[in-house]
Amino acid sequence: MNILLTPARIGPAEIPNRIVMPPMTTRGSDEEGNVTDQTIAYYMARVRGGVGLITVEMASPEKAGRHRRRELGIYHDGFIPGLTRLVGEIHRGGSKASIQLGHGGGHTRIDICGEQPVAPSAIPHPVYETTLETIVPEAMSKARIALTTANYVAAARRAQQAGFDCVEIHAAHGYLISQFHAPFENRRTDEYGGSLENRARFGLDVLRAVKSAIHGMPVVYRLSVEDYFPGGLPYNEGRQIAIWAAQAGADALHVTAGHYRSLPSAQIVLPPMSMPDATFLHFAAAVKKAVQVPVIAVGRLGDPTMATEAVANGATDFIALGRTLVADPQWVEKLRRDEPIRRCLACNTCINEMRGGARIGCVVNGAAGRETMFADARPPRGERIAVIGAGPAGLTYASLVAEGNEVTVFEKAKRPGGAFRYAGKAPLFQEVEANEKSFERYVADLAAACVRKGVIFRFGTNVTGQRGLLAEFDRIVIATGAQYRYGLGPIAMQMLDWGAGRWPGLSELFSHPAFRDWFYYRAREGTAERFKQLAKPGQAVVAIGDALQAGKSKQAIASAFEAALLG
């Protein structure tokens, strides 16, 4: 058996396998922070996919710490019934449940939390929540520190009452406890500032207080061990705090890195596609050598082979998959069945759009954040289906309807991917630096998943040049993408093939919002109309993706999900 599928313990809790879903804000709650049907549907998709430990998103122990609108709540007893319902569903699905107790500190605003933000010191904090504003929080008095610590304890007791198997204390990424760690944000001269021991004191006191209050319930300590900016927490100090946390009673250490002040970009908190796989694994491995409690590693670990090796080689005990499980909730079950996964692009659209106010979503998973919409999926059955075009929309549609149908994909090129392969040749994809490998890997695994399900590929086939080729099919799905107006297509593709998108001068042009809008959208037009003419009377015809109208990849792939599963 793959070692990732073997059980392991966090304190007294036995986790059915070594895959952890880490906390990611979803905005699936209502305005007050209550659990909704969407909250449950989102997490249950990952439970059904086989995840061992579901860590429910960050919930603040007090109202002043709420850092997002529609953030899940745990700061008063009124949230307990909804949380109890959520935990019950997770348990019935066979997974264990944890919840992260995280306080925004100075990384929130009055218009978000409704109270005066507090932090170790009264220094400016840039806060992006739909809009970017800089606030100056109130420096915490010793009495305020004691109150916040007591609120952590009360929140942990609520988690225990709701039935959670573990709680996780958030000491990472520039939130309150992390702010105490960073000298730039902690200018205090009392016992909570100055030396590393003093800067670590608040978080460790919270850990000890929570441990003593919830007897028998494991506590995970999630810690950024490297902040990546001058005045942030450097690795040698982060490692020492990790050791102290284990000594203070943490049942596991969730080792991460990055801070919203990180340089060159806060994107490092969720390493984008330009960064290497297993970005923070070496940190986890080094901490594991110094402690006697389990370690959870996180950060671009979605490749099954790499994740397996990380645990098998002793670098970590658990693998946390965040964006990977947004992209493919079935990751664990596919590992169990040795099937290709739907690859996360590491484009950070899920987080960047959420920060802008949207519910969590995904470029490659059109159901993410919309699980209730797809609860009663109605894919076609018993049909012969022709999909014209092997770009991301066509491949997605084929993979979703392959079971129970006979599916053939026609593609005029010699390989799958379509124009999507060129996305990696541009300087930017969405808002991160593009990387060709990420797109190539995604296309390869999606095509392999189709083959595994019995989809037939006919490459090098131009359906418009062969009369009668589509006559035998019950349904024709047009996924032919968009084409450039004015005959610019060959020129545009050749420029990208030459690497012009990365040339000095042209790189700035290709990255400019106005040029990107023209190049990807306004200069292109859908191709569906001329392919609709190939259909015979009685054949169902569906057009998806850019074939309808040139747009963003997320919307194109979402249309494939809707056409395949919603009828």
Side-chain angles (χ1 to χ4, degrees):
M1 180 182 290
N2 185 303
I3 193 169
L4 296 180
L5 302 176
T6 62
R9 302 190 76 83
I10 294 178
E14 182 170 285
I15 313 302
N17 59 57
R18 295 169 186 264
I19 301 301
V20 174
M21 183 175 187
M24 292 179 69
T25 300
T26 66
R27 295 194 196 271
S29 306
D30 68 13
E31 292 294 335
E32 297 301 316
N34 293 295
V35 168
T36 65
D37 289 345
Q38 172 55 38
T39 307
I40 292 175
Y42 175 81
Y43 288 112
M44 288 307 297
R46 281 81 200 163
V47 170
R48 287 190 292 272
V51 176
L53 177 63
I54 298 286
T55 309
V56 173
E57 61 205 78
M58 174 174 165
S60 178
E62 57 186 26
K63 192 174 181 182
R66 292 188 67 185
H67 83 305
R68 300 279 181 213
R69 297 183 179 91
R70 303 199 308 279
E71 176 181 285
L72 194 67
I74 199 171
Y75 55 84
H76 63 64
D77 290 351
F79 293 118
I80 294 175
L83 294 172
T84 302
R85 177 187 169 209
L86 173 60
V87 173
E89 293 296 328
I90 291 172
H91 284 165
R92 276 188 283 277
S95 298
K96 294 297 174 72
S98 180
I99 187 168
Q100 185 185 72
L101 307 181
H103 192 300
H107 202 50
T108 187
R109 303 191 306 249
I110 292 177
D111 62 302
I112 300 168
C113 67
E115 298 185 3
Q116 172 62 45
V118 296
S121 302
I123 67 165
H125 287 252
V127 179
Y128 187 81
E129 165 68 352
T130 309
T131 59
L132 177 63
E133 298 177 29
T134 297
I135 65 108
V136 178
E138 181 181 288
M140 298 174 77
S141 65
K142 291 181 183 178
R144 188 67 174 83
I145 289 173
L147 175 62
T148 299
T149 302
N151 286 335
Y152 269 98
V153 169
R157 285 178 171 147
R158 291 184 193 105
Q160 189 173 43
Q161 185 176 341
F164 283 97
D165 302 285
C166 313
V167 294
E168 178 175 278
I169 294 173
H170 194 3
H173 301 157
Y175 297 102
L176 182 60
I177 295 175
S178 174
Q179 290 162 19
F180 273 89
H181 292 164
F184 181 84
E185 296 185 316
N186 183 347
R187 314 284 177 86
R188 304 177 71 95
T189 57
D190 61 6
E191 64 266 38
Y192 293 98
S195 68
L196 178 62
E197 184 177 15
N198 284 354
R199 286 181 280 122
R201 187 183 308 279
F202 171 62
L204 296 178
D205 283 351
V206 168
L207 170 61
R208 294 187 188 98
V210 168
K211 277 289 294 183
S212 65
I214 51 172
H215 302 290
M217 187 178 186
V219 179
V220 178
Y221 204 68
R222 189 177 207 218
L223 174 70
S224 282
V225 294
E226 167 63 68
D227 282 346
Y228 294 109
F229 74 97
L233 185 73
Y235 169 67
N236 63 313
E237 292 187 348
R239 179 178 177 273
Q240 182 59 61
I241 295 176
I243 294 170
W244 287 339
Q247 294 169 348
D251 294 283
L253 297 173
H254 191 167
V255 179
T256 184
H259 186 288
Y260 71 87
R261 298 186 192 266
S262 291
L263 298 175
S265 166
Q267 296 277 2
I268 196 172
V269 168
L270 294 131
M273 63 176 73
S274 60
M275 301 191 72
D277 286 344
T279 314
F280 305 139
L281 182 60
H282 63 294
F283 290 141
V287 168
K288 181 170 167 55
K289 292 179 181 178
V291 299
Q292 299 300 312
V293 299
V295 168
I296 303 169
V298 70
R300 297 209 66 192
L301 290 166
D303 180 80
T305 300
M306 177 181 57
T308 301
E309 290 175 353
V311 174
N313 294 340
T316 186
D317 300 285
F318 292 87
I319 298 292
L321 302 176
R323 293 166 295 172
T324 293
L325 290 173
V326 178
D328 194 344
Q330 290 287 316
W331 194 94
V332 178
E333 281 303 306
K334 289 179 179 179
L335 176 72
R336 194 183 305 277
R337 300 191 299 259
D338 194 28
E339 293 181 8
I341 61 170
R342 184 189 300 124
R343 294 274 185 170
C344 168
L345 295 173
C347 65
N348 285 357
T349 301
C350 52
I351 298 302
N352 291 338
E353 288 188 349
M354 184 277 297
R355 287 171 176 153
R359 182 183 290 171
I360 197 167
C362 179
V363 167
V364 301
N365 178 9
R370 305 193 297 167
E371 284 77 12
T372 53
M373 178 187 294
F374 292 91
D376 298 315
R378 302 179 301 277
R381 285 288 183 266
E383 293 188 10
R384 294 165 297 174
I385 301 174
V387 178
I388 309 173
L395 292 174
T396 296
Y397 184 95
S399 70
L400 293 172
V401 303
E403 296 176 9
N405 298 290
E406 297 177 16
V407 182
T408 302
V409 176
F410 296 92
E411 169 57 52
K412 66 180 180 180
K414 301 293 185 182
R415 59 177 183 169
F420 202 53
R421 289 186 175 274
Y422 286 89
K425 299 175 183 291
L428 295 176
F429 179 76
Q430 307 290 51
E431 302 305 321
V432 304
E433 181 182 342
N435 184 293
E436 287 187 67
K437 180 181 177 182
S438 184
F439 297 92
E440 291 171 354
R441 191 160 60 176
Y442 162 74
V443 169
D445 272 10
L446 187 53
C450 289
V451 171
R452 174 73 176 257
K453 294 178 179 180
V455 174
I456 297 170
F457 282 92
R458 294 186 60 174
F459 293 111
T461 303
N462 186 348
V463 296
T464 61
Q466 300 184 43
R467 293 179 60 85
L469 187 62
L470 304 178
E472 65 183 75
F473 294 95
D474 303 304
R475 183 182 299 261
I476 298 173
V477 178
I478 303 169
T480 48
Q483 64 182 7
Y484 277 91
R485 296 184 172 95
Y486 325 117
L488 292 175
I491 299 172
M493 298 302 103
Q494 187 63 69
M495 289 182 68
L496 289 173
D497 275 331
W498 287 340
R502 308 294 176 90
W503 292 351
L506 282 182
S507 175
E508 289 76 9
L509 175 64
F510 273 86
S511 301
H512 193 279
F515 180 82
R516 292 174 72 193
D517 178 65
W518 177 84
F519 186 76
Y520 293 114
Y521 312 126
R522 291 189 292 115
R524 302 166 72 223
E525 60 184 357
T527 56
E529 289 305 316
R530 63 189 178 94
F531 286 94
K532 287 180 180 179
Q533 300 171 15
L534 301 175
K536 303 289 185 181
Q539 289 179 314
V541 180
V542 181
I544 60 175
D546 283 0
L548 285 170
Q549 181 179 359
K552 290 193 173 184
S553 304
K554 181 182 177 184
Q555 285 71 37
I557 294 173
S559 75
F561 269 80
E562 293 159 13
L565 301 179
L566 300 183

